[in-house]
Amino acid sequence: MESLGGAFKLGGTMLIIVVFACAYLCRIYFSSIRKSTCPEKSEIVIGFFHPHCFGGGGGERVLWKAVKALGDLRDAGIKIKVVIYTIDGKRDSYKKEIFHHVKERFATEFSQSLPIMFVHIGNGPKIPKKMSLIAQSVETVKLAWYALRQLNPHIYIDTTGCAFTFLVAKLAGCKIMCYVHYPTISTDMLRLVWERRPSYNNSSIISKNPLTSYLKLVYYIIFAIAYGFIGSLSDLVMVNSSWTHGHIYFLWVFARRRTRIVYPPCDTKSLQNLSLTNREHKILSIGQFRPEKNHTLQVKAFAKMMADHPELSKKGDVELLLVGGCRDEGDESRVNELKGLASSLGVSKSVHFVLNQPYPVLKQIFGQASVGIHTMWNEHFGIGVVEMVAAGLITIAHNSGGPKSDIFLPYGKDKLKTGYLASLEEEYADAMYNALRDGPNCDENIAIRKRARKSAQRFSDEVFNTSFKEVMLPNL
């Protein structure tokens, strides 16, 4: 037995030596890459890992506003160069195309003095959407390895939630930073599985079976431990809300002192030019037609309101507008299901879908609607919610996540209302009715809109710019 114990100790020691030797060789390998790809010693190269940088969502808005802020620091005398890793195909016109897209979608232009370079990693490993958490994380690690072999920056910033890529960045000798929109796994997800509640990420097939629920819980716990360890490698952690901060603080134990809340940039400035009066009996929903957005709840709540208050039907102009993008056949299928639901509930003539429209069309609807509705459970922040508030909509959001912890806080000394929070179908129906009961332009609604709009200024592009530079400067 003693000889067996000695063999285990020797094997363990050898394994540790091999691991450290491999890490050391990786550091030497990536150091040579940095010398050849970042020859200017006085220039700080900052690499953003954001494979889908040509997108038009909140994550891309954060990316480009962050790049703009770095341009301000460049103008202030700090020699910074920005690199963005993208899976988009390489072509001569790419930089011109994406800058035009960023200007049109996010009203953002960059300092002429800031060098911006794109590293195309589309030929690297692919990351299919339908994969387990572990399998997807492994694929992101492989993609990050491929990316940093092309160019190894001094500072590595992940803006897509791919925390396991930190392992590659650490081996490459990068200073690691990240902007976390939502944790890959959270205590709420663990609780959902423990309580065996069906959801978009916990199918009824699993939740109905005690054994599969137990196995999934064990799987989640193991993943959460690994996620917490890897996330703690970050030298600076920026999170987008108090809700996200709470989960990251719990999971990334060794990065707690380096975690800061930096609210995401929202388009409050241009939307605040919209009039707060002359609004119509329209209820607006914004968001991609993904399962977690729970558009079904919106249609059901609207139908209940109309059924409980037939006088609204007599007006003939009360409408629910579902505005959003369809990414694929799955989204299109959900839209068709929602249309069928509206028909079965007898409100098809009052429920309208506005799909894949440009921002000017959305802005026009913003200026017409009087009520906004958002039903996603545990929305990590809610850029769309803030935009509705800034546009002057009486907004009803889910009583969880960012809307609850950050957006709909009581306003002023008197703790006045800035919007509504709801969870159940009945609560949403009652909130919509309260917002429409005395007419969309009644004095109470105008007062709520004014307070909410002022409150939304906490999440402006300008506030993000200042906050981002404040947390970045000590780390450059």
Side-chain angles (χ1 to χ4, degrees):
M1 289 294 292
E2 290 183 5
S3 59
L4 184 60
F8 273 119
K9 288 182 180 180
L10 179 61
T13 302
M14 292 298 296
L15 179 61
I16 293 172
I17 293 173
V18 169
V19 169
F20 275 94
C22 289
Y24 180 70
L25 291 174
C26 285
R27 182 64 62 87
I28 293 175
Y29 172 66
F30 279 109
S31 293
S32 66
I33 293 174
R34 178 174 294 161
K35 288 178 182 178
S36 61
T37 56
C38 307
E40 182 60 54
K41 293 183 179 180
S42 62
E43 193 171 57
I44 303 171
V45 179
I46 300 177
F48 286 90
F49 186 79
H50 202 112
H52 297 279
C53 63
F54 217 128
E60 288 71 50
R61 186 177 186 85
V62 168
L63 167 68
W64 296 115
K65 293 297 181 180
V67 172
K68 179 178 174 58
L70 292 177
D72 295 344
L73 294 180
R74 173 85 184 197
D75 291 339
I78 302 176
K79 295 190 70 176
I80 293 172
K81 178 180 179 179
V82 169
V83 172
I84 299 171
Y85 300 98
T86 173
I87 62 169
D88 297 329
K90 188 175 183 179
R91 52 187 181 274
D92 294 338
S93 60
Y94 181 79
K95 181 181 274 192
K96 183 178 180 180
E97 289 174 14
I98 197 166
F99 283 0
H100 176 76
H101 167 72
V102 171
K103 182 179 179 181
E104 291 294 311
R105 180 66 184 87
F106 304 118
T108 300
E109 296 182 89
F110 311 108
S111 169
Q112 294 295 318
S113 67
L114 179 67
I116 302 176
M117 175 183 175
F118 294 90
V119 176
H120 298 270
I121 55 175
N123 292 328
K126 310 301 179 188
I127 307 176
K129 293 181 180 179
K130 295 183 179 180
M131 295 182 73
S132 67
L133 289 175
I134 290 178
Q136 197 169 52
S137 298
V138 169
E139 292 304 310
T140 62
V141 169
K142 290 161 64 176
L143 186 60
W145 180 275
Y146 181 84
L148 295 187
R149 283 179 60 200
Q150 314 306 309
L151 188 147
N152 183 18
H154 300 100
I155 297 175
Y156 173 89
I157 304 180
D158 167 54
T159 48
T160 57
C162 298
F164 284 84
T165 63
F166 298 175
L167 181 60
V168 180
K170 179 62 71 173
L171 290 173
C174 303
K175 180 176 281 190
I176 302 169
M177 303 178 190
C178 60
Y179 189 94
V180 183
H181 295 273
Y182 55 91
T184 304
I185 192 166
S186 67
T187 52
D188 291 328
M189 291 170 65
L190 294 172
R191 189 179 300 111
L192 200 70
V193 178
W194 172 255
E195 296 174 355
R196 294 171 58 192
R197 283 189 285 145
S199 177
Y200 68 92
N201 60 357
N202 189 39
S203 70
S204 57
I205 297 175
I206 291 177
S207 63
K208 288 179 180 178
N209 189 313
L211 178 60
T212 55
S213 291
Y214 175 76
L215 292 174
K216 184 172 182 177
L217 184 63
V218 171
Y219 169 73
Y220 269 12
I221 291 172
I222 293 172
F223 184 85
I225 293 171
Y227 179 66
F229 175 76
I230 294 295
S232 296
L233 295 175
S234 184
D235 298 289
L236 172 65
V237 182
M238 293 172 275
V239 296
N240 66 343
S241 69
S242 300
W243 181 86
T244 305
H245 181 273
H247 288 281
I248 291 298
Y249 189 85
F250 178 80
L251 292 166
W252 295 11
V253 177
F254 302 110
R256 288 177 174 176
R257 294 184 178 181
R258 304 187 295 275
T259 303
R260 305 286 183 271
I261 297 177
V262 178
Y263 290 123
C266 303
D267 180 21
T268 60
K269 190 172 183 179
S270 69
L271 293 173
Q272 286 179 346
N273 295 326
L274 297 173
S275 173
L276 296 178
T277 58
N278 300 320
R279 298 301 178 100
E280 302 173 15
H281 288 87
K282 292 181 178 180
I283 301 168
L284 174 63
S285 166
I286 306 170
Q288 290 180 327
F289 290 93
R290 305 200 306 263
E292 63 269 27
K293 295 298 183 182
N294 201 0
H295 290 89
T296 299
L297 177 57
Q298 298 174 12
V299 176
K300 288 183 176 180
F302 178 78
K304 180 172 177 54
M305 178 191 70
M306 298 296 280
D308 291 348
H309 305 282
E311 70 274 14
L312 293 178
S313 298
K314 294 178 182 178
K315 293 180 181 294
D317 60 349
V318 179
E319 299 176 340
L320 172 62
L321 304 179
L322 301 177
V323 180
C326 281
R327 303 164 299 171
D328 49 35
E329 292 181 358
D331 288 355
E332 292 174 1
S333 176
R334 277 184 282 276
V335 169
N336 290 330
E337 290 174 3
L338 290 168
K339 289 179 179 178
L341 176 64
S343 179
S344 67
L345 294 173
V347 292
S348 59
K349 293 183 178 179
S350 301
V351 177
H352 305 286
F353 295 82
V354 183
L355 309 177
N356 301 323
Q357 293 298 310
Y359 187 70
V361 174
L362 174 59
K363 192 172 180 180
Q364 182 182 4
I365 299 174
F366 268 136
Q368 297 171 345
S370 58
V371 179
I373 184 170
H374 187 84
T375 47
M376 179 176 171
W377 171 70
N378 271 347
E379 172 71 88
H380 40 284
F381 176 71
I383 290 179
V385 175
V386 172
E387 289 180 343
M388 287 193 285
V389 169
L393 278 69
I394 305 296
T395 306
I396 309 159
H398 199 280
N399 191 21
S400 63
K404 179 181 180 180
S405 64
D406 294 289
I407 299 174
F408 290 115
L409 301 179
Y411 183 79
K413 295 180 180 179
D414 297 326
K415 307 296 183 182
L416 298 173
K417 182 187 298 182
T418 56
Y420 294 89
L421 292 170
S423 299
L424 305 176
E425 180 182 317
E426 296 79 8
E427 293 172 343
Y428 274 100
D430 290 343
M432 284 189 284
Y433 176 69
N434 289 335
L436 294 174
R437 179 182 54 203
D438 297 324
N441 301 298
C442 67
D443 291 342
E444 182 182 359
N445 281 353
I446 297 297
I448 292 176
R449 287 174 184 146
K450 287 180 178 179
R451 291 194 297 266
R453 178 172 278 183
K454 288 181 181 178
S455 178
Q457 293 175 4
R458 296 174 290 140
F459 312 116
S460 68
D461 290 337
E462 293 75 18
V463 171
F464 172 82
N465 185 281
T466 300
S467 300
F468 184 80
K469 288 187 289 189
E470 283 179 354
V471 298
M472 283 293 294
L473 272 172
N475 293 278
L476 294 177

